[in-house]
Amino acid sequence: MASTCSGIMFFANAIFFLLAIFLFILCTAFFAVGALGEKALCKTMENPGDSEIVNFVNPLLSSEMTNIYNSIADGDFKVDFDLAKIISDIHSNTAIYPLLQLHYIFDIENLTDWRETYEIGPLIDTAKS
């Protein structure tokens, strides 16, 4: 009887220590992910001009957006994005159209006679009556 009880206690202690080690590893992983996420995301959003991540991402973003804009607009132009400027301008409530340089895709400056160009005038007149 005593050997059975000592075996059960040994097994219970082994389970306890294995779970403690597992929880320690899990907490360490959560701490590391949280600390890196805070450094990468929160500090970047607070002060984007001083972020090393933004400086690393800027050329990649500019290259990718140039490829996307050239395929959509059938043009050959170089788009230069500054992610730090985009983030700080979004914080100051600047419109998204100039931030993303969407004039390469669709120029709203030339959109003066939109009722006639897209034949919306007659649709509005029929909707009113």
Side-chain angles (χ1 to χ4, degrees), residues 40-116:
L41 297 175
C42 298
K43 296 293 183 187
T44 299
M45 291 298 159
E46 288 174 5
N47 194 1
D50 294 337
S51 175
E52 296 171 4
I53 295 172
V54 169
N55 293 333
F56 176 74
V57 170
N58 274 339
L60 301 172
L61 179 67
S62 293
S63 172
E64 190 62 32
M65 293 307 284
T66 297
N67 292 338
I68 291 171
Y69 281 17
N70 285 335
S71 67
I72 291 173
D74 294 329
D76 188 26
F77 37 81
K78 173 89 170 94
V79 181
D80 188 31
F81 276 96
D82 183 13
L83 193 57
K85 183 178 181 321
I86 290 173
I87 292 171
S88 62
D89 285 349
I90 286 174
H91 285 180
S92 63
N93 293 328
T94 304
I96 200 78
Y97 182 82
L99 290 179
L100 296 181
Q101 303 174 23
L102 294 175
H103 61 275
Y104 288 117
I105 296 174
F106 188 78
D107 190 10
I108 60 171
E109 299 294 325
N110 295 330
L111 190 63
T112 55
D113 58 344
W114 55 274
R115 289 181 185 241
E116 290 79 24

Side-chain angles (χ1 to χ4, degrees), residues 7-25:
I8 291 172
M9 282 188 66
F10 177 76
F11 182 70
N13 281 333
I15 294 292
F16 174 77
F17 282 111
L18 288 175
L19 287 177
I21 291 170
F22 173 72
L23 285 176
F24 173 75
I25 292 170

